[in-house]
Amino acid sequence: MHSIFIGLVRLLPLAALAITPAAFAQGAKNFPDKPVKVVVGYSPGGLPDTIARVIGQKLSERWGQQFIVENKPGANGILGADYVAKAAPDGYTLLMTDNSTHAIIPFLFAKLPYDADRDLIPVSLTARAPLFLAVHPSVKANSFQELIALIRAAPGKYSYGSSGIGSTHHLCMEYLKSSLNLDMTHVPYKGTGQSVPAVVGGQVPMVLSGYPTLAAHAKDGRVKLLAINSLKRSELAPDVPAIAETIPGFDFAPTFGLFAPNGTPREIIVKVGADVAQVVKLPDIVERMKNLGIEPIGVSGNEWAPLLKSDAERYSKAVKISGAKVD
């Protein structure tokens, strides 16, 4: 009897392997047949959270299932990413995050509880939110080129505020400094809720931030928008040049999208990616995102993967240049 039991135990893994593909295929065909949880590794109200809720409402209507957003903030988004990386790979737990998960955090932190490239599979590049370089009115520059000349004429005189060490804002400016050989001082704040008021109040001369936080100040003349950190100009402010017009290939605009745990059936990844691509192109969603300073994209995980790789190459250089490191 003992030997028969051992034989059955040895056969169980093979039996599981035999039925798993069919079970996954059936699950993918019926997906979703229960609520889908989307984890956001940041607090409510931020861009990843907002984007998740905007597309979630439409996906709920399309799928006839709830699209539940669950915030798990902490450690620069690491807690949320780790939770999803270790979740069941069945498509019912997804991660909405920015490209820092793959492009910044692996180079900024000495140790992580997961491997982003191995454990998180890109599902859909959902949106982009370029950052604008704004200066206080006292800065005697009315264009990006004039600002460069001003900084070069007075090495060490100018500083810039950021939303914190290792943030996209910080790394973008450090890469900019290095590319143009500029001498500026970094002044880190705890988020754009502090850095933007600091520029408006004249405590620091310049800052990078999203359009919604700067638009009213720019309209009232409290700041001047001189450049945008994406490859192309934005429809939100078409007269503001892209830094890439001066530094070819310069692109540090944050991107946002969905990831799934490694092992999630390909059919589910393709289905979710295709549905998200359709949702973000709906006129009401496009308009809603535009008002938030977000540019909808909606491309598949396959198309996003090489872009994430190029992001990682660019940001790893920026982290090295900045000297930022978190133990």
Side-chain angles (χ1 to χ4, degrees):
M1 176 66 85
H2 180 72
S3 61
I4 293 173
F5 177 76
I6 295 296
L8 287 173
V9 170
R10 286 174 177 169
L11 285 173
L12 280 175
L14 295 176
L17 286 174
I19 64 172
T20 296
F24 272 158
Q26 186 62 31
K29 183 179 179 181
N30 297 330
F31 181 87
D33 59 8
K34 63 181 180 179
V36 176
K37 178 165 65 177
V38 176
V39 174
V40 176
Y42 303 96
S43 301
L47 284 182
D49 177 75
T50 301
I51 294 170
R53 294 179 191 280
V54 168
I55 66 171
Q57 181 182 351
K58 292 293 183 181
L59 289 177
S60 292
E61 296 169 3
R62 180 175 292 242
W63 291 345
Q65 293 289 346
Q66 281 186 294
F67 190 93
I68 302 168
V69 177
E70 184 173 321
N71 299 91
K72 290 186 178 293
N76 294 69
I78 291 173
L79 293 183
D82 184 48
Y83 179 88
V84 175
K86 293 178 171 62
D90 55 10
Y92 290 95
T93 304
L94 303 172
L95 176 71
M96 170 60 78
T97 187
D98 56 23
N99 56 344
S100 69
T101 303
H102 284 65
I104 298 178
I105 290 172
F107 308 103
L108 195 62
F109 287 79
K111 293 179 69 175
L112 291 173
Y114 60 92
D115 183 311
D117 290 328
R118 181 195 64 209
D119 300 332
L120 294 168
I121 306 302
V123 176
S124 172
L125 169 55
T126 307
R128 176 190 295 111
L131 302 175
F132 286 79
L133 179 60
V135 300
H136 187 266
S138 63
V139 176
K140 299 185 184 304
N142 294 311
S143 71
F144 183 55
Q145 296 299 333
E146 289 180 3
L147 179 64
I148 293 171
L150 204 64
I151 296 169
R152 283 178 173 163
K157 176 182 176 181
Y158 292 91
S159 61
Y160 71 90
S162 84
S163 60
I165 294 173
S167 64
T168 300
H169 311 72
H170 172 215
L171 299 178
C172 174
M173 290 299 290
E174 288 300 305
Y175 198 90
L176 176 66
K177 282 172 53 180
S178 176
S179 299
L180 297 176
N181 195 27
L182 303 177
D183 184 356
M184 290 188 290
T185 303
H186 175 219
V187 181
Y189 289 88
K190 292 182 179 179
T192 53
Q194 291 185 5
S195 61
V196 172
V199 170
V200 173
Q203 282 82 49
V204 288
M206 69 191 84
V207 73
L208 268 179
S209 191
Y211 188 75
T213 59
L214 294 170
H217 299 305
K219 184 177 180 181
D220 294 341
R222 293 191 291 267
V223 298
K224 295 182 284 188
L225 305 182
L226 300 188
I228 185 173
N229 75 341
S230 58
L231 283 173
K232 298 179 180 180
R233 299 188 183 202
S234 170
E235 292 182 6
L236 297 169
D239 293 336
V240 178
I243 294 175
E245 294 173 30
T246 299
I247 308 171
F250 191 98
D251 184 14
F252 280 84
T255 54
F256 304 84
L258 287 170
F259 291 89
N262 189 17
T264 301
R266 187 68 200 158
E267 295 89 344
I268 290 179
I269 289 176
V270 171
K271 174 180 172 58
V272 175
D275 285 357
V276 170
Q278 291 181 28
V279 162
V280 299
K281 292 180 175 69
L282 295 173
D284 59 325
I285 297 300
V286 171
E287 185 62 26
R288 193 171 172 186
M289 285 192 174
K290 183 179 178 181
N291 292 335
L292 294 168
I294 304 168
E295 300 173 359
I297 302 176
V299 302
S300 70
N302 275 346
E303 295 175 86
W304 190 15
L307 300 177
L308 280 171
K309 185 176 180 181
S310 63
D311 281 351
E313 292 172 355
R314 189 162 47 251
Y315 277 99
S316 65
K317 292 178 184 176
V319 170
K320 187 175 182 180
I321 289 167
S322 72
K325 210 71 180 173
V326 180
D327 295 326

